[in-house]
Amino acid sequence: MKAIIFNGALERRTESTSNLITNYFADQLLSVKIKTEVFNLADSGIPLFDISLRKTPLAVERMYQLFRDADLHFWFAPLYHGSIPGVMKNCLDWLEVTAKSNPPYLTDKTIGFVCWAEGLHAMQGITAMDTIAKSLRAWPLPFSVPVLRSSLFDNDDKTKFSEFYQNKFDQLINIAIHKKIVNL
């Protein structure tokens, strides 16, 4: 089984929320011997979506291949003004170049979502990613993790997740791997 972690944030700091979540998931997946690739949008070089180009940009071809090769996806995004970052949506829009492929888009890929927000609205980002995934013919998991950022970290160590969210992340990983909901 292959997994891809799609980090849809534009943060590059080592201790940013997106990098800490990405590294946690990558470590957990590798610990159960799942080959894992990380696709950091901030480092991807994905241009603005332009279907009129005669040649697909190399960065898009690389992204498309990584997304298509993975059996399992995890998409992570901060909530910006009620939705996922526009650059993340732009990246996913480039999957339109696969419309005539067999199969097209992300057909039958399994996708888990994590979105964080300063307030209580992270579910809006989950809903946006869910809608996009379904439009790309993927299978969103029946469990996702909307995060209230102020409760994400341990009170004593701001680089360690709270027990509550660590359990949620572990549950999402477990459901994704085993394709069934189990109590942790």
Side-chain angles (χ1 to χ4, degrees):
M1 179 182 287
K2 290 183 185 176
I4 187 165
I5 295 170
F6 179 23
N7 178 356
L10 291 179
E11 301 172 295
R12 287 191 171 98
R13 293 175 296 111
T14 304
E15 292 188 2
S16 68
T17 300
S18 63
N19 283 334
L20 291 171
I21 294 172
T22 295
N23 291 338
Y24 181 81
F25 271 72
D27 290 345
Q28 296 305 309
L29 291 166
L30 291 172
S31 76
V32 292
K33 311 266 189 283
I34 293 179
K35 185 177 182 202
T36 304
E37 293 269 352
V38 174
F39 184 81
N40 282 311
L41 187 55
D43 301 324
S44 69
I46 300 291
L48 289 175
F49 180 59
D50 183 354
I51 197 85
S52 69
L53 294 177
R54 294 193 186 273
K55 182 167 177 11
T56 303
L58 186 59
V60 172
E61 288 180 9
R62 180 181 176 275
M63 177 269 300
Y64 161 73
Q65 199 58 52
L66 287 172
F67 279 42
R68 292 291 298 258
D69 287 348
D71 306 296
L72 179 59
H73 290 223
F74 292 97
W75 293 0
F76 304 155
L79 186 75
Y80 291 152
H81 309 289
S83 191
I84 62 173
V87 294
M88 184 176 185
K89 174 68 166 68
N90 175 75
C91 181
L92 293 165
D93 286 343
W94 271 107
L95 289 170
E96 187 60 29
V97 301
T98 70
K100 292 183 170 64
S101 298
N102 188 17
Y105 310 114
L106 297 177
T107 300
D108 290 332
K109 302 298 179 182
T110 301
I111 306 179
F113 308 117
V114 176
C115 183
W116 56 95
E118 295 300 330
L120 294 173
H121 301 288
M123 197 62 200
Q124 290 174 218
I126 301 284
T127 301
M129 290 187 282
D130 182 80
T131 300
I132 294 164
K134 287 176 181 170
S135 296
L136 293 170
R137 302 180 187 175
W139 295 97
L141 291 171
F143 181 83
S144 55
V145 185
V147 175
L148 174 60
R149 196 174 172 299
S150 63
S151 299
L152 177 59
F153 298 103
D154 182 79
N155 288 332
D156 299 325
D157 183 353
K158 296 301 179 193
T159 62
K160 184 179 174 197
F161 298 119
S162 66
E163 183 178 346
F164 177 80
Y165 279 112
Q166 185 171 331
N167 288 340
K168 294 283 187 191
F169 293 157
D170 291 345
Q171 188 170 10
L172 178 61
I173 292 166
N174 218 357
I175 291 168
I177 293 170
H178 301 291
K179 304 289 191 287
K180 65 181 186 177
I181 297 175
V182 293
N183 291 328
L184 294 180

